[in-house]
Amino acid sequence: MQTAFAIFDTALGHAAVVWRETGIVGVHLPELEPERTRAGVLRRYPEAAPAEPPAGVAAAILGVQALLRGEAADLTGVELDLSASPAFNRRVYEIARAIPPGRTLTYGEVAEQLGDPLLARAVGQALGQNPCAIIVPCHRVLAAGGRTGGFSARGGVKTKLKLLEIEGALAPDTLPLFAR
């Protein structure tokens, strides 16, 4: 099965989407330079080749671009192939995908939806392995007490806060509160 990718411009830099015929398998969050985006994609998917995205992938790209411009975008219908992820992670990603833009849950609340509040740390680890950030909106999951928790994408927590601000989950004047 062929793996392909496309690099595209966003309001925050150059991002990429990686797909197979079964769906999107990865998203590379924006970098300032397209060469860094390409290198990041090929590090994770060395078999991937640049290609023109099919209609469903092109629609996902438009949605990501809109979201990063601060516009409403519904990415819940984007076809993903998360088969390389463990079953537990896929369950976490399903819950995260159900969080609407402008809303957040805590790691503990996700763990409760999984049936065990003691799984909060495992939820954080699963989200840290999310191959399709933004489409699986791991940035919408926060630590207890309004803390941000981690974010493994370029820019770390600063990127997470920017995404939450774009979606209207945070007012700009509350950012210092969440940056603890």
Side-chain angles (χ1 to χ4, degrees), residues 78 111 152 161:
V78 172
S152 57
L161 292 171

Side-chain angles (χ1 to χ4, degrees), residues 4-150:
F5 73 94
I7 296 173
F8 56 95
D9 291 332
T10 74
L12 301 179
H14 306 277
V17 171
V18 182
W19 70 91
R20 296 187 183 113
E21 65 183 40
T22 53
I24 292 174
V25 296
V27 174
H28 188 89
L29 291 178
E31 300 271 4
L32 297 177
E33 301 296 328
E35 297 80 20
R36 292 190 64 167
T37 301
R38 181 183 179 87
V41 166
L42 293 176
R43 212 173 12 260
R44 282 177 54 198
Y45 304 95
E47 76 285 8
E52 193 66 33
V57 174
I61 289 171
L62 291 174
V64 169
Q65 288 172 318
L67 188 62
L68 294 179
R69 278 193 308 268
E71 300 170 10
D74 182 4
L75 301 173
T76 56
V78 172
E79 189 71 33
L80 299 178
D81 177 351
L82 298 172
S83 61
S85 297
F88 176 81
N89 291 21
R90 290 193 308 268
R91 290 175 47 217
V92 171
Y93 303 155
E94 183 180 322
I95 292 168
R97 284 193 87 187
I99 305 169
R103 305 291 304 271
T104 62
L105 291 177
T106 65
Y107 299 114
E109 289 170 329
V110 173
E112 286 177 16
Q113 287 190 35
L114 291 167
D116 186 349
L118 298 178
L119 291 173
R121 180 167 285 165
V123 166
Q125 290 171 344
L127 292 171
Q129 297 168 9
N130 176 8
C132 296
I134 295 182
I135 297 174
V136 174
C138 53
H139 60 279
R140 296 180 190 152
V141 183
L142 302 173
R147 295 183 321 257
T148 56

Side-chain angles (χ1 to χ4, degrees), residues 147-178:
R147 295 183 321 257
T148 56
F151 196 63
S152 57
R154 180 185 68 81
V157 170
K158 187 175 179 180
T159 299
K160 182 174 189 170
L161 292 171
K162 182 65 177 171
L163 291 169
L164 290 170
E165 182 182 356
I166 285 170
E167 293 182 342
L170 301 177
D173 59 349
T174 64
L175 292 181
L177 170 69
F178 283 86

